[in-house]
Amino acid sequence: MSNGPDFSLELAAQAQGHTRIAGVDEVGRGPLAGPVTAAAVVLDPARIPEGLNDSKRLSAKRREALFDVIMDMAEVSIAHASVEEIDALNILRASHLAMERAVAGLTTPPDMALIDGNLIPRNLSVPAQAVIRGDALSVSISAASIMAKITRDRIMWDLAQQFPGYGWESNAGYPSKSHKEALQNLGVTPHHRRSFKPVHNILYQGKSVSN
């Protein structure tokens, strides 16, 4: 059994005639606040960074180190769907929108995209293959998962400085106990997802904060 992701899915795609393979992943479906973030990464087969893995299996220090290595050694595009888009579309469609934007943002369009999950975004501009648990199987997808997570964590850290008390610097907007208590005590910020039940329920009770 493999100890981590490898390049076999990319090699299989290359055998079908695709030369530029992008790994695509998103992070941030579960939080109550902040955008959903996606990354598309095209690795150089001759310069694959060592230690790539599902971002959730890596320490924060290791993710940070790999972020810089991937940025230096691969082609990377990172994109987002906003809280407003999440509320207007639903979180699944918004996460797919972020993926579509990430792929479209690559300087040179890939021939194929390997998408983490079991669904292919409907408006993707290139042929694609959905890969369940792709971030643990494909180095390209694992690289994308690292880039998306670090970027989103940094966004949430910045927002935590503007809206202290919700713990976003540590919970990244996920519904931790302290975050939910802060929602009750401090109210809803402009960066909370109003379509998510814990936020919607508090808004219905009439407690929110402005800027």
Side-chain angles (χ1 to χ4, degrees), residues 4 9 15 20 24 34 36 89 93-94 109 115 118 121 134-136 153-154 167 170 178 182 186 197 202-203 205:
L9 287 169
R20 282 177 52 82
V24 185
V36 59
L89 298 172
R93 180 68 197 110
I115 308 290
N118 62 353
D135 46 10
D153 283 353
R154 290 174 178 177
S170 57
S178 60
L186 302 175
K197 191 172 181 181
I202 288 171
L203 280 173
Q205 295 165 10

Side-chain angles (χ1 to χ4, degrees), residues 20 22 24 38-41 75-79 96-110 113 115 123-126:
R20 282 177 52 82
V24 185
V41 175
E75 186 179 344
V76 178
S77 171
I78 300 169
H96 283 186
L97 178 61
M99 287 180 170
E100 292 160 5
R101 287 171 172 165
V103 171
L106 288 166
T107 305
T108 304
I115 308 290
N123 295 324
L124 206 62
S125 55
V126 299

Side-chain angles (χ1 to χ4, degrees), residues 6-22 45 111-114 128-129 131 137-140:
D6 58 31
F7 203 65
S8 58
L9 287 169
E10 290 84 348
L11 289 174
Q14 288 177 355
Q16 297 171 3
H18 305 294
T19 54
R20 282 177 52 82
I21 318 298
D111 302 317
M112 184 181 182
L114 298 173
Q129 174 186 347
V131 184
L137 296 173
S138 157
V139 285
S140 298

